[in-house]
Amino acid sequence: MSKEELLAPRHPPVGQMAVGHAFETRSAREQLYAHHLSRAAWHGARVVLRQVSLESPSIFDLIIGLFMASQGDWLSLASETNVSAENLELWLEYAAIFLGNIGNYYGRGDQKFIPRIDPNDLEKLSGVSSSTAQIYDRVRGPLFSLRPSSLGFPSEIAQSSYYPGHDRITPEKIECVSTVLEAKGIYPENTRIRKILANGETVYRVLQASTETELGERQYSIANSKAAIIVDKGDHAAELEPVCDCLVKAREHAMNSQQQAVIDQYLISFRTGEVEAFKESQRLWVKDLQPTVENAFGFVEPYRDPYGTRAEFEGIVAFVNAEETEVLTRLFNDIRQDVGFKNVMISNQIAAQYSADRTNPAFIDPSEADLYLTTDYDGFYIRVVLYELLGHGTSKLLSEYNDGTYNFDIANPPVSPLTGKPITTWYKTGQSWTGVFGDLATSLDECRAECVGAYLMDDEKLLRMFGFDESKMTPADITYTVYLQVGTAGLRALENYIEDDQKWGQAHSRGHFAMFRMLLDAGDDFLRVKHDAKKDTLTVYIDRSKLLTHGKPAIGMLLLRLHIYRCTADVVACREYFEDLTRVNGVFADWRKIVIRNKRPRQILVQANTFLGEDGNVILKEYEPTVRGMIQSWAERRI
């Protein structure tokens, strides 16, 4: 990637995740419970920084150190260090984008971004104190370097903190180590693998996240290899300690014993590294059906692991919106009751995203803009609900169990609708969805869930259940807009295709592009893209008269394929199909260049902090939606 592509964008839009009204309506106990949970979540950001890149923790310390040294008086700092206000602003914009992504690689796309400020000017700013000067000396090189330019399997152009160290590990060796760990009952989600070459011997040290330390006590061999595997506990120990401390305090204010039991399992998992305890926390969590304060903690999503199994730490704390939850509970209570799952949708995050200036939506013809902007939010909101509840919340993985039994009739296997013949693949003993599908797993699951949301959008009865105002828009308007969303999302996804590495940097984006391709290939100009060479623009057009004859069947076929591949563990057929569908070449590579040239800065979101007052009550502090507000909010978290 060129330097121009890596430079942090100017004037990033900043939104605010407003929480004041929800906070004020909660009891003192609920506020205390939420306060300590959120403190645990924020401390977990230190784990995320270590998972993003080697340099991210130090860049974070530099940003916070400069705020503390100046007490937030940035102009005085610039004046004192002889740096212009304009160059100072370049640093503040970078810092805000960094904090919004919790690292120096975009959370969506996994591509690096670097400061626009001159390194010598940043050196002047950092000279305000000895500690910030030392941090800058340590981080200056990787902060401004053009490579590695993306996250991925370690190479000249990519890095991954899931596989740290100077001795690079190959995907094949990752698979070998993972196979051994799977056989020993060691889950991958909270691990990293460090390859070490010493005295002609190879050792793979598996770093397991926990506050407990255990070095070298578990050693395993790899078949047909002299290399050894050593499992070490204590990865992220310093970062997980304050997480656990805050969870202990939160437990004291939990609303019921069920919530306390969930926290107990979190603590066991984070202290010992045992993923089974985390899984038990989730079994207990789904049974807490009507919480007023919701939370989710753990090493959950494997989006950023190039191998597709090791997970990023996350901490989510939210006040439940009783009105919206009541509607969704009424719609889907039977599914929750019979299947047993919960999903969290952050409505104030969606609201913040839609509060940005959207007068000129990307890839939309100006003549369509009014209708699109009128129906965009409702269409997206309903699609996300369907995506979460019916997309991620459905499917049965056909499996063989340890005792030799199956969860289907092995003597009379089900017939695949793709081949018309009995299935020949399923999950063998010890296999998991992510383990079998590896790097494909997250993209496939996100795409499958997105397809569910889009496929159901023409159901007028379902749409009316959400109670939207039909005097402003019709169900047909919303359905049409959703297909426009799919089309524009497919083009926008090309931002997150990493050309140097010939790979997708974001699971959702790859899924969006797959859906876009299906609609583009539906025929009869159902979806077409107009390229205006003079204006260097792309515009998406959908033939509204063909939504049900071309659009829905195309999405339905993609959904069917991905669903059957997932349920039957048919990774061979799936990989051939999906890789071909999401290949970026020819006209798509040309379109990507246009998309990159017209790329808009991504919105970052400022969030509130809570503090304990002298009287023991919780105080909420919200921040202005500016780059300065973003930096101040993180500095005052004191993590």
Side-chain angles (χ1 to χ4, degrees):
M1 297 179 70
S2 68
K3 181 178 180 180
E4 188 60 35
E5 287 184 81
L6 293 177
L7 288 172
R10 292 303 317 273
H11 313 299
V14 184
Q16 183 189 65
M17 288 183 65
V19 72
H21 174 71
F23 175 82
E24 292 168 358
T25 59
R26 305 298 164 170
S27 68
R29 182 171 181 174
E30 289 169 331
Q31 291 177 357
L32 283 165
Y33 184 46
H35 165 72
H36 292 297
L37 285 173
S38 64
R39 292 297 300 156
W42 289 123
H43 280 294
R46 283 279 184 183
V47 179
V48 177
L49 289 166
R50 298 187 79 231
Q51 291 180 303
V52 172
S53 68
L54 180 64
E55 63 271 16
S56 282
S58 293
I59 298 174
F60 178 85
D61 290 339
L62 178 62
I63 294 169
I64 302 305
L66 289 175
F67 177 91
M68 294 302 184
S70 66
Q71 291 300 301
D73 187 350
W74 293 106
L75 289 177
S76 293
L77 173 63
S79 176
E80 178 184 343
T81 55
N82 197 30
V83 173
S84 70
E86 181 181 354
N87 286 333
L88 169 70
E89 201 65 26
L90 296 178
W91 169 245
L92 297 182
E93 289 177 351
Y94 171 85
I97 295 170
F98 176 96
L99 295 171
N101 288 275
I102 315 184
N104 61 332
Y105 289 76
Y106 288 114
R108 294 184 71 91
D110 287 347
Q111 298 172 51
K112 189 177 185 179
F113 53 93
I114 63 175
R116 288 181 178 269
I117 187 174
D118 184 277
N120 294 325
D121 280 331
L122 184 52
E123 182 177 18
K124 292 178 185 177
L125 289 174
S126 302
V128 69
S129 73
S130 59
S131 61
T132 53
Q134 291 172 5
I135 295 172
Y136 182 64
D137 285 343
R138 183 169 67 246
V139 81
R140 177 173 181 160
L143 175 62
F144 287 97
S145 66
L146 303 185
R147 289 193 171 185
S149 59
S150 65
L151 300 181
F153 290 114
S155 67
E156 290 297 322
I157 60 175
Q159 70 164 313
S160 174
S161 285
Y162 292 101
Y163 309 100
H166 298 293
D167 300 315
R168 293 175 184 160
I169 187 172
T170 64
E172 293 75 22
K173 292 304 181 184
I174 294 172
E175 182 173 6
C176 289
V177 174
S178 298
T179 299
V180 173
L181 296 178
E182 184 179 276
K184 300 299 181 181
I186 299 174
Y187 294 100
E189 285 84 354
N190 65 343
T191 66
R192 303 190 294 162
I193 302 175
R194 183 192 301 274
K195 178 183 178 182
I196 300 173
L197 296 175
N199 301 319
E201 296 184 349
T202 302
V203 174
Y204 299 102
R205 300 203 80 105
V206 177
L207 314 177
Q208 193 172 45
S210 66
T211 60
E212 295 179 359
T213 301
E214 176 188 282
L215 302 178
E217 294 186 17
R218 290 175 289 172
Q219 301 189 19
Y220 308 107
S221 59
I222 301 176
N224 303 315
S225 172
K226 295 181 180 180
I229 298 173
I230 299 176
V231 180
D232 294 332
K233 283 188 176 184
D235 197 21
H236 310 306
E239 292 75 23
L240 287 172
E241 280 286 3
V243 173
C244 291
D245 291 344
C246 292
L247 288 175
V248 169
K249 294 176 182 177
R251 188 185 186 281
E252 298 174 6
H253 305 284
M255 301 299 110
N256 54 56
S257 60
Q258 191 77 18
Q259 293 174 355
Q260 291 178 329
V262 170
I263 291 176
D264 289 341
Q265 295 301 315
Y266 286 159
L267 290 168
I268 292 172
S269 179
F270 298 156
R271 286 169 174 166
T272 68
E274 295 301 323
V275 175
E276 190 54 50
F278 170 73
K279 292 190 173 186
E280 179 60 23
S281 76
Q282 300 306 284
R283 298 185 189 105
L284 295 167
W285 179 72
V286 298
K287 296 176 182 177
D288 185 23
L289 295 181
Q290 294 182 321
T292 54
V293 179
E294 188 60 277
N295 72 87
F297 283 85
F299 296 85
V300 180
E301 301 289 2
Y303 296 131
R304 307 188 89 171
D305 171 19
Y307 187 69
T309 59
R310 288 164 181 85
E312 188 172 54
F313 184 87
E314 70 176 38
I316 300 172
V317 183
F319 291 122
V320 174
N321 185 313
E323 292 78 15
E324 291 187 18
T325 301
E326 182 181 359
V327 172
L328 300 184
T329 301
R330 195 164 59 242
L331 286 171
F332 301 109
N333 191 56
D334 58 319
I335 296 172
R336 179 183 292 110
Q337 179 176 310
D338 296 339
V339 180
F341 74 96
K342 287 200 301 184
N343 293 81
V344 176
M345 185 171 69
I346 313 299
S347 58
N348 61 337
Q349 180 183 35
I350 297 174
Q353 291 170 341
Y354 275 81
S355 67
D357 180 11
R358 304 175 62 251
T359 53
N360 298 299
F363 313 120
I364 296 294
D365 189 285
S367 66
E368 299 273 18
D370 286 345
L371 173 63
Y372 185 83
L373 292 174
T374 300
T375 56
D376 187 26
Y377 176 83
D378 293 271
F380 180 77
Y381 178 86
I382 297 171
R383 186 156 61 99
V384 169
V385 170
L386 299 175
Y387 156 96
E388 291 289 357
L389 289 173
L390 300 181
H392 286 312
T394 56
S395 82
K396 176 180 180 179
L397 305 185
L398 302 183
S399 307
E400 176 184 1
Y401 297 135
N402 290 328
D403 60 3
T405 61
Y406 299 78
N407 65 352
F408 63 97
D409 186 353
I410 188 63
N412 186 29
V415 174
S416 168
L418 300 181
T419 65
K421 300 176 181 178
I423 64 166
T424 58
T425 58
W426 53 84
Y427 293 88
K428 305 303 189 293
T429 300
Q431 289 185 331
S432 65
W433 148 248
T434 53
V436 170
F437 283 82
D439 62 310
L440 286 178
T442 52
S443 289
L444 292 175
D445 207 33
E446 295 302 335
C447 185
R448 190 182 68 91
E450 292 268 12
C451 284
V452 170
Y455 188 79
L456 294 175
M457 285 305 298
D458 68 295
D459 189 319
E460 294 190 9
K461 181 179 179 182
L462 185 63
L463 291 176
R464 289 193 176 97
M465 288 182 181
F466 287 89
F468 66 89
D469 187 352
E470 292 191 47
S471 66
K472 296 181 180 179
M473 65 195 84
T474 67
D477 288 336
I478 291 185
T479 303
Y480 174 59
T481 294
V482 163
Y483 278 88
L484 276 176
Q485 288 174 348
V486 172
T488 59
L491 283 181
R492 192 178 298 109
L494 290 168
E495 292 180 7
N496 295 326
Y497 181 77
I498 303 171
E499 192 172 46
D500 290 348
D501 214 15
Q502 295 288 294
K503 73 179 185 68
W504 287 92
Q506 217 279 334
H508 295 81
S509 295
R510 190 176 187 181
H512 291 159
F513 186 75
M515 297 172 72
F516 168 76
R517 278 290 312 274
M518 290 297 290
L519 296 185
L520 194 65
D521 295 344
D524 296 330
D525 282 341
F526 168 69
L527 182 152
R528 60 187 178 90
V529 177
K530 178 184 176 182
H531 173 210
D532 187 322
K534 186 175 181 179
K535 296 180 179 179
D536 196 33
T537 59
L538 299 171
T539 305
V540 172
Y541 293 93
I542 294 286
D543 188 334
R544 185 166 180 158
S545 68
K546 298 171 183 173
L547 290 174
L548 300 184
T549 59
H550 291 69
K552 185 168 185 172
I555 294 297
M557 179 51 67
L558 177 58
L559 172 58
L560 177 64
R561 282 186 174 275
L562 300 188
H563 189 75
I564 297 302
Y565 291 148
R566 183 181 194 271
C567 291
T568 62
D570 192 355
V571 66
V572 174
C574 182
R575 185 173 293 279
E576 180 181 0
Y577 172 75
F578 202 67
E579 288 188 347
D580 181 65
L581 187 65
T582 57
R583 189 168 289 115
V584 179
N585 55 12
V587 69
F588 304 120
D590 295 336
W591 288 351
R592 177 187 176 275
K593 294 175 183 177
I594 299 170
V595 170
I596 294 297
R597 286 197 294 268
N598 290 278
K599 185 177 179 180
R600 300 178 181 182
R602 305 172 189 183
Q603 186 188 45
I604 52 178
L605 298 175
V606 175
Q607 298 185 56
N609 283 324
T610 53
F611 306 91
L612 288 180
E614 293 183 0
D615 59 359
N617 290 323
V618 181
I619 301 169
L620 178 79
K621 181 174 181 179
E622 295 189 298
Y623 300 83
E624 62 179 15
T626 64
V627 294
R628 287 168 170 75
M630 171 68 88
I631 298 169
Q632 182 183 356
S633 71
W634 277 93
E636 293 185 355
R637 287 182 186 123
R638 301 198 179 253
I639 62 172

